Amino acid sequence: MEFRRVRGMRDLVAGDAERARCVEEALVDAMRSYGYEEVRLPLLEASELFSRGVGEATDIVEKEMYTFLDRGGKQLSLRPEGTASCVRAGIEQGLFHRRSRRLWYAGPMFRYERPQKGRFRQFDQVGAEVFGVAGPEAEAELVQMVWSIWDRLGIADGIALEINTVGAGRSRQAFRDALVAFLAPRADALDADSRRRLDTNPLRILDSKVPSTRALLEGAPELHDFLDDLDKVHFDEMRRLLDELRMPYRVNPRLVRGLDYYTHTVFEWVTDGVGAQDAVCAGGRYDGLVESLGGRATPAAGFAIGVDRVVLLASETQGKIDYRPVDAYWVVLDRRFMGRALDMAQRLRDSVPGLRVRTDTAGGKPAAQFRRADESGARWALIVGEDEIARDRVSVKWLREEREQAMLPFEELGAALRTTC
Ligand code: ATP
Ligand code: MG
């Protein structure tokens, strides 16, 4: 019997895992540098949290959740996204009282989808949420933070930002009514999902990718014609800030989040670098969510980045994810010196933080050890043998450069090994 991984699940091994980690670290560093704090949330929640927090009439809740009864008969789901849990935890832990909060989370999400390039059933998201700030500066700064992430990863050129406003309150309701009035007599021409959503979640129809539905929508009323002054001020101010920050963007009037608790700004970063999957990050303002999940009304905005798609993009657009498991490889010519080698390796790690140091503990002939040193990708072989011990030195062999081997006192080693990782 041979075990295989479950469809849509992946093993990230060796280099792939390390490259994903490099990307995650860049994302986390950026969020920390903006003063965001980590929250760690459960992978399992009551299914109800998502049907309310993500919305009944969404693909996620209608078709994509991994839902089951536990042994006590409770209906649970593997989390398909992070925002609902974040809000649930914030309410439960009293995080939203009288102050603003900036939180980030990272980890796997689960959706039962058709697996393909850039689309998996378990995938990683990194997200950030800011609570308690009502003005458009919250969204502007979130956008600035995400741009800084693309910049740091060297992929900003391959990504475009689209923004839109979905208004709030009465203007949204008026548009919703107008949209239904336009579509209802034409319902026969809609695809089946959209027809169903005419009753449950008509705004979501604007997001449909079905060509016939898109064609029908050409003549539909435009949300922008329904915005009131407050909606416009919010959106204009947000755009003014983005302009001042010299952030390039495109207004896409079709970009929507279909649910009532989304308000004002929505945004999405798109690319053509990940096959058919074009969104690498999505977010916006959701002033109504905290209240709809049972908390006190709290303005909020946030985004989620699809880490796996960012990794794919970064690896494809340029080999910018510079990853090497080992920088310095200790070759121990005689097993008698193993204790000395292990000790020096540790002191080297202490004196050059971040340096990746491996000691050859497999042993064998020097030629075998040098071969392993080379295969490890290391830049330097550090050699301890009879001669070195007698003279209290270490030999350095440059594995990737034409350079004469040198014998140095241990104390000078750190300075000699300038590393880039
Ligand atoms: P899509 O339209 O691609 O299905 P979505 O609107 O369902 O995306 P969100 O719920 O907004 O996606 O999630 C935020 C980000 O998470 C997406 O922009 C994408 O990068 C990533 N993502 C979503 N679903 C998957 C998946 N199944 N596999 C890998 N990444 C995903
Ligand atoms: Mg989806």
Side-chain angles (χ1 to χ4, degrees):
M1 160 127 191
E2 213 178 295
F3 290 107
R4 314 280 298 181
R5 58 187 193 277
V6 171
R7 183 165 144 82
M9 306 287 146
R10 288 162 304 150
D11 302 313
L12 289 190
V13 297
D16 286 342
E18 291 286 345
R19 268 181 283 275
R21 170 76 65 187
C22 285
V23 167
E24 266 164 25
E25 278 170 2
L27 305 187
V28 170
D29 281 352
M31 293 187 294
R32 287 219 178 102
S33 76
Y34 276 74
Y36 282 70
E37 280 179 284
E38 182 177 11
V39 285
R40 295 205 183 191
L41 304 167
L43 301 193
L44 278 180
E45 298 273 5
S47 305
E48 174 80 15
L49 174 68
F50 301 114
S51 38
R52 281 227 262 141
V54 180
E56 286 295 354
T58 55
D59 283 348
I60 291 179
V61 171
E62 281 180 346
K63 316 177 188 165
E64 297 174 358
M65 288 220 289
Y66 281 89
T67 295
F68 61 95
L69 295 180
D70 75 3
R71 291 171 192 274
K74 285 213 164 55
Q75 191 175 305
L76 304 178
S77 296
L78 285 171
R79 65 180 185 192
E81 58 103 56
T83 302
S85 302
C86 205
V87 170
R88 195 265 313 132
I91 298 169
E92 191 171 342
Q93 308 294 338
L95 300 185
F96 304 146
H97 295 316
R98 285 190 304 279
R99 54 171 295 189
S100 69
R101 288 279 180 179
R102 297 163 163 234
L103 308 175
W104 68 267
Y105 60 83
M109 306 294 161
F110 302 84
R111 298 184 192 176
Y112 193 83
E113 304 199 66
R114 197 166 66 78
Q116 52 199 291
K117 183 174 181 186
R119 188 176 293 283
F120 316 102
R121 290 180 175 178
Q122 176 180 333
F123 61 99
D124 278 293
Q125 279 187 347
V126 164
E129 320 283 0
V130 42
F131 295 97
V133 182
E137 47 277 11
E139 295 101 297
E141 200 199 31
L142 285 168
V143 164
Q144 183 193 29
M145 180 159 88
V146 178
W147 268 125
S148 80
I149 290 171
W150 308 145
D151 225 27
R152 193 183 294 218
L153 290 170
I155 55 175
D157 288 346
I159 298 185
L161 170 62
E162 299 194 339
I163 64 172
N164 192 24
T165 176
V166 294
R170 268 183 295 139
S171 55
R172 262 269 289 276
Q173 189 56 46
F175 169 66
R176 191 185 151 118
D177 294 345
L179 185 66
V180 173
F182 173 84
L183 290 175
R186 300 167 173 84
D188 288 347
L190 288 171
D191 63 279
D193 275 342
S194 296
R195 206 174 310 130
R196 200 155 27 81
R197 285 172 186 169
L198 206 48
D199 295 324
T200 50
N201 188 1
L203 292 186
R204 193 80 199 180
I205 298 173
L206 298 178
D207 211 19
S208 168
K209 297 189 171 96
V210 179
S212 55
T213 298
R214 299 203 66 92
L216 189 61
L217 286 169
E218 291 294 331
E222 294 273 352
L223 185 123
H224 283 241
D225 297 332
F226 289 77
L227 298 178
D228 64 22
D229 286 346
L230 278 178
D231 298 334
K232 285 185 189 147
V233 166
H234 191 103
F235 195 50
D236 290 348
E237 179 62 11
M238 149 91 178
R239 294 178 59 178
R240 202 186 57 72
L241 283 168
L242 294 188
D243 292 338
E244 205 175 316
L245 292 167
R246 296 181 303 279
M247 310 262 120
Y249 62 85
R250 188 175 84 86
V251 176
N252 173 1
R254 295 251 172 262
L255 188 63
V256 286
R257 305 244 127 187
L259 298 159
D260 288 342
Y261 50 75
Y262 286 109
T263 50
H264 298 297
T265 318
V266 292
F267 51 79
E268 199 163 280
W269 272 265
V270 293
T271 175
D272 46 21
V274 195
Q277 311 318 318
D278 60 358
V280 287
C281 174
R285 176 168 283 285
Y286 51 93
D287 287 344
L289 182 59
V290 178
E291 199 175 12
S292 83
L293 290 180
R296 201 182 319 169
T298 306
F303 63 75
I305 292 177
V307 177
D308 309 271
R309 292 185 192 173
V310 175
V311 173
L312 276 168
L313 187 63
S315 327
E316 273 173 29
T317 53
Q318 47 196 310
K320 183 90 197 215
I321 312 177
D322 180 18
Y323 152 71
R324 229 180 10 266
V326 182
D327 299 307
Y329 194 105
W330 288 83
V331 169
V332 189
L333 297 182
D334 186 319
R335 305 323 278 173
R336 279 180 300 147
F337 308 134
M338 185 50 88
R340 286 284 289 277
L342 290 169
D343 181 50
M344 283 192 287
Q346 182 53 39
R347 284 193 285 139
L348 183 61
R349 292 182 192 103
D350 293 341
S351 67
V352 188
L355 193 72
R356 296 160 182 215
V357 182
R358 188 186 291 176
T359 306
D360 192 298
T361 48
K365 295 209 174 69
Q369 294 192 47
F370 280 111
R371 197 192 61 239
R372 287 195 290 265
D374 192 43
E375 285 168 0
S376 77
R379 298 163 70 183
W380 308 283
L382 305 177
I383 308 158
V384 226
E386 199 88 53
D387 247 21
E388 284 81 4
I389 294 291
R391 300 172 56 186
D392 201 19
R393 288 176 172 233
V394 175
S395 291
V396 183
K397 183 176 174 178
W398 279 265
L399 299 173
R400 316 284 156 204
E401 292 168 59
E402 288 300 329
R403 196 161 156 185
E404 192 94 19
Q405 186 167 319
M407 212 189 260
L408 303 174
F410 176 81
E411 288 66 34
E412 288 172 26
L413 210 52
L417 313 185
R418 285 275 163 264
T419 178
T420 50
C421 195

